[in-house]
Amino acid sequence: MDRDLEKVIDQLTDLWVFGYGSILWKQGFEFDDQLFGYVDGYVRRFWQGNTTHRGTPLSPGRVATLIEHPGGCVWGAAYRLCGSNQIKLALEHLGLRECLLGGYACQSLTFTERVSSCSNDLPRKFPVLTFIAVPSNSLYLGPVDLDSLARQVIGCKGNCGTNVEYVFRIAEFIHANIPEEIDEHLFVLERKIRENMETSNPVPANQSDCSLINVPRAAQDEAILNSNDSLTIVRTNDNEDASTATVKEVLKHLLLASGALDYLREM
């Protein structure tokens, strides 16, 4: 990891990461605390393509991202990372999983903690590192009607399992843990998938066993930074050291480009 970034991380005592998609049910990193709450000004949409975890280059899956929307609100969970080692390992994991393979960028958003309706306490608000797939990334698919979206999800599968499982796991986590969430995009999509599956015979939606870091090397992608600072995903060779170095450079670049490195320095 770059010395400047490593020095910043070494000085951190904690860092919060916001989960609104697969991070809710498969973190892939150690954390010390989990809080439920929301970020304002965004909505959750399955508008990002995925060609590794939940799809292939020929049949990309659909995964969640956040879209700016006045008056919007997305519920999820904030995960607290404590100590430089835990923070460093989590960022390296997420740099590969979300940025290099997923096409996401880092942003700092404001998280509002859920408080009990019986409590008189004001909710805590604090910054959270958030991974968002912006429309300029090469895997972005954009909006589509929910009927078409449901059919696409049913037909896709990647190294980590079916695209159906991905959607169902997010919905089930929110149903069980965040009853405050009213996400019509997610819940209508979930319903339409179930309705479609009743009249078809798809691959079971709950069969997967995947480490999102140790995906088959032949299927891994490498992120190349273009001159306009966008991400292009291209096939990589069997070189684990080079891939690890690339992850760190990509993460550093995204932290710098998004202003998140300044956020880390200020904590």
Side-chain angles (χ1 to χ4, degrees), residues 48-68:
Q48 174 69 351
N50 187 275
T51 59
T52 52
H53 300 147
R54 300 292 169 174
T56 67
L58 294 179
S59 183
R62 287 270 185 166
V63 291
T65 186
L66 297 185
I67 302 296
E68 288 191 68

Side-chain angles (χ1 to χ4, degrees), residues 220-238:
Q220 281 199 12
D221 293 335
E222 178 174 299
I224 303 298
L225 295 174
N226 296 329
S227 58
N228 64 353
D229 290 339
S230 63
L231 280 174
T232 299
I233 307 299
V234 298
R235 196 64 61 193
T236 188
N237 58 19
D238 189 11

